[in-house]
Amino acid sequence: MRKLTIGAALAASLAIAAGFSTPSRADTGQVAVVFTKGGFIVGIGGGEGVLLYRGHKYPFTVSGMSVGFTVGASTTKLVGRALNLKGPQSIEGSYAAGGAGGAVAAGAGAVQLQNGNGVILQLSGPKVGAEVSAAVGGVTIRLK
């Protein structure tokens, strides 16, 4: 009888402890983006991408603009992770970026961006084209 009472007490303790723990609601997804940008002083670009989240693919569009010194055109193919996702819709929004970079013929780029939903995009990949920039800008992502 004593073993049964100890077992019941242990089971009740585990059930209570499980009730107090909060599961992590933020997930990580995989992202692939192709972004083309061109301009002189003001750079304007756009592209498409896909979010792979919990075994499903969610296509999206990317649009953006930068203001500052920008000359030329480039295409960047980025892959990486989307952190702190609370669902596929949380990838939507405006992402701000600032920095300097450039590519002539081919180069590599890496970027980390965050939107108002707390989603962080960590992306890297090759840049093809001829562009030099020292600009501040941002991109907007919308699910299709």
Side-chain angles (χ1 to χ4, degrees):
M1 181 69 169
R2 183 171 168 92
K3 287 183 183 180
L4 183 61
T5 304
I6 292 173
L10 182 60
S13 296
L14 288 174
I16 291 171
F20 285 116
S21 67
T22 56
S24 175
R25 294 184 184 251
D27 289 325
T28 299
Q30 300 300 312
V31 178
V33 179
V34 176
F35 189 79
T36 301
K37 177 180 158 189
F40 181 73
I41 307 299
V42 175
I44 298 175
E48 296 183 337
V50 65
L51 167 66
L52 179 60
Y53 178 72
R54 294 187 175 182
H56 293 91
K57 292 181 180 181
Y58 299 91
F60 58 84
T61 59
V62 182
S63 60
M65 186 171 111
S66 62
V67 178
F69 176 73
T70 299
V71 177
S74 67
T75 297
T76 307
K77 297 178 182 180
L78 300 169
V79 295
R81 302 183 305 169
L83 308 172
N84 300 329
L85 291 169
K86 294 175 182 68
Q89 297 80 14
S90 62
I91 198 170
E92 290 189 314
S94 296
Y95 294 80
V104 175
V111 66
Q112 179 167 309
L113 307 167
Q114 184 170 358
N115 71 6
N117 298 326
V119 173
I120 298 170
L121 298 179
Q122 295 177 334
L123 305 169
S124 63
K127 186 184 278 190
V128 178
E131 176 205 355
V132 176
S133 67
V136 175
V139 296
T140 301
I141 292 178
R142 296 282 177 239
L143 290 174
K144 288 185 179 181

